[in-house]
DNA sequence: TCAATTTGCGTAATCGTTTGCGCAAAGTAG
DNA sequence: CTACTTTGCGCAAACGATTACGCAAATTGA
């Protein structure tokens, strides 16, 4: 019941006693082709079960209509949502999205870029891996004139369009909120990595303390990889201090979750004894007990904007566009883990 | 600093005064090419910053070295993990994976298949969308002789290789465990959809009841879309019954989470008054309070096996291989939400 | 009615790689 | 030293679609 041999436009042409070029034009709705021929071609295409070969087309006009998206991992709600936001826009413009994961692994990230270049994607959208400190692979993309846009995890070492949220503001507002809840010894979980988002969150934390005249205590800033287990360890460290904190602002929901576990295991009341806030608004943060205060990163919106910015690079051709930076306002989601009054 | 014009093997050939075919063979490490020439070619390639054009290669030998993976959504831990498992195997064999999401939307699923076929992927691995009841698009894939393997969400309406866990066994063991915890009125959350996984879980539930001589009560089986909100509604329905259940086995962790929220809001003790078990071992299930008993679906393993099965279809050519069904044993993860003694 | 335009389609080159075939030079066997 | 095999590479035709160019027929305008 199935034609094993691939059917091409030549087969259609032969059947109709016309040439392949006419078929091609008919399929692409070229105005120079008569409606009669178009209909005949369409009909024959159905009959023969014709499947266009995008590879041949891509080779011919140097466009693949595929854009590569690189995320550290697709199973974090935030990244998955951004991808969704990108897809919405891209699909509307008839572009396909291929999702690649770097798993926060530098080598894998480099390889992925290489693979995407070989696959001749029309552009790349990426969020940089946590461990990446050398950006030559991204520079290579740019040097080839391939559109590149970064989101969330970006870097200043590249002249590139980027979309991010105002991590500084998100952190500032969170800490401000904690202060308004009468917290005075506020700890912070951050990452030692070069990624700017964490640096910005730290800056927001420090500035909020300063503005409210709360002394900065280095002991209260714990650096780790910010996974759940790291959050547990960090919390344990804090509890060993002579003077325990009365709040923890974690740059990651997962680490905040780890801290919550430790606090609950030790019977420490949240938020009465220690208030707790995270960052990212992962879905599980609303399930926890108590529900976790966190910062929403406008992920879908970020995906939309990133894709739109990306496609502007096409329209305006290779030149003309300067790299531009879009900063979204985050939203503080206040839940019971910080509500002390 | 960058060559805007694309460099091809012809450029390398010209520079070295040899032909493109020799360059091609050298790059592909063909034994008929001398080591000297190979080295020279590699060197020139670096110098010219040559980037192979996979599209041209794909067109030539009809292989794209890309396989398409379709999942309902990538932000569920289970699916993300399976994808990871698939990638591990595929990357080792030098295949790229392109991840597409159907969002459980039938039209999107059909479109995605179409797009993957046009992109000339070498094969497709998929998990069927929840609302899909017509499988012609998958039949089309098969009729074109393109390898197809399904995982988890499969169907018997297709003659296709598939990998799944033993949902029946997972459900049976869970219910058996609940019975051993002295639960006697055990409710079940399931889906009205045609997807076999839910039907199997229901069957496991029913058989366990029967084997332990517990009467089946239709009122205790609630059908819904199994999202968190559905779980809340379902739990509320159960609590309105004359005789409340003393356990809930949900076919989804999210719905179980919804039930947990309602129970906690009403001050009903978990597991003493109502024990609670989910399905899938989503990461958040270990965070909840109490932690949720659930069934692990061996997601990475499933990805590995799926990919291996998939690649067997290549080796053995188009014929010879009959579709085969691999069933993995799930693992019951017992946590506090069901431990009554 | 005749020149000018439009309509409809064919010719052939092209995108960048791969590969079957062929051929000369070098190596091997007897 | 002849005959045969191996080594190293070039020639040219694919793969399937797109497109600049050209040309005849049909249409239009005056």
């Amino acid at each position: 019941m199935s034609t094993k041999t691939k059917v091409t436009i030549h087969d259609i042409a032969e059947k109709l006693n016309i040439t392949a070029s006419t078929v091609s034009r008919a399929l692409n709705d070229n105005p120079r082709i008569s409606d009669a021929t178009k209909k005949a071609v369409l009909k024959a295409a159905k009959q023969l079960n014709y499947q266009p070969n995008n590879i041949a087309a891509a080779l011919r006009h140097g466009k693949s209509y595929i854009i590569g998206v690189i995320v550290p991992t697709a199973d974090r709600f935030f990244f998955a949502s951004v991808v969704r936001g990108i897809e919405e826009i891209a699909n509307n413009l008839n572009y396909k999205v291929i999702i690649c994961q770097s798993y926060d692994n530098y080598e894998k990230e480099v390889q992925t870029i290489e693979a995407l270049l070989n696959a001749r994607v029309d552009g790349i959208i990426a969020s940089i891996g946590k461990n990446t400190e050398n950006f030559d692979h991204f520079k290579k993309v740019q040097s080839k004139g391939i559109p590149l846009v970064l989101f969330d995890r970006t870097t200043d070492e590249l002249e590139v369009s980027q979309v991010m949220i105002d991590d500084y503001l998100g952190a500032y507002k969170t800490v401000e909120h904690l202060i308004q809840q009468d917290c005075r010894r506020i700890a912070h979980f951050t990452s030692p990595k070069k990624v700017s988002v964490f640096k910005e969150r730290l800056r927001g934390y420090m500035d909020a303390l300063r503005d409210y005249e709360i002394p900065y205590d280095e002991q209260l800033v714990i650096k780790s990889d910010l996974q759940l287990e790291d959050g547990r360890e960090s919390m344990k460290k804090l509890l060993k201090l002579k003077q325990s904190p009365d709040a923890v602002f974690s740059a990651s929901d997962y680490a905040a979750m780890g801290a919550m576990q430790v606090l609950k295991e030790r019977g420490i009341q949240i938020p009465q004894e220690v208030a707790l806030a995270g960052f990212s608004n992962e879905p599980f943060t609303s399930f926890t007990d108590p529900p976790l205060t966190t910062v929403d990163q406008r992920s879908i919106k970020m995906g939309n904007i990133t894709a739109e910015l990306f496609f502007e690079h096409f329209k305006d051709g290779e030149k003309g566009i300067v790299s531009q930076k879009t900063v979204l306002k985050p939203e503080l989601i206040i839940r019971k883990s910080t509500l002390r009054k």
Side-chain angles (χ1 to χ4, degrees), chain A residues 58 63-64 66 98 112-122:
Chain A
K63 274 178 80 100
S64 61
I66 293 181
I98 122 170
T112 303
I113 294 263
E114 201 67 20
L116 289 177
L117 289 178
N118 290 354
R120 288 296 197 276
V121 293
D122 290 345

Side-chain angles (χ1 to χ4, degrees), chain A residues 173-181 293 332 334 338-339:
Chain A
K173 290 201 326 195
T174 308
V175 175
E176 187 173 45
H177 162 69
L178 288 170
I179 294 170
Q180 285 163 355
Q181 298 292 315
T293 291
L332 176 61
I334 298 174
T338 58
L339 278 181

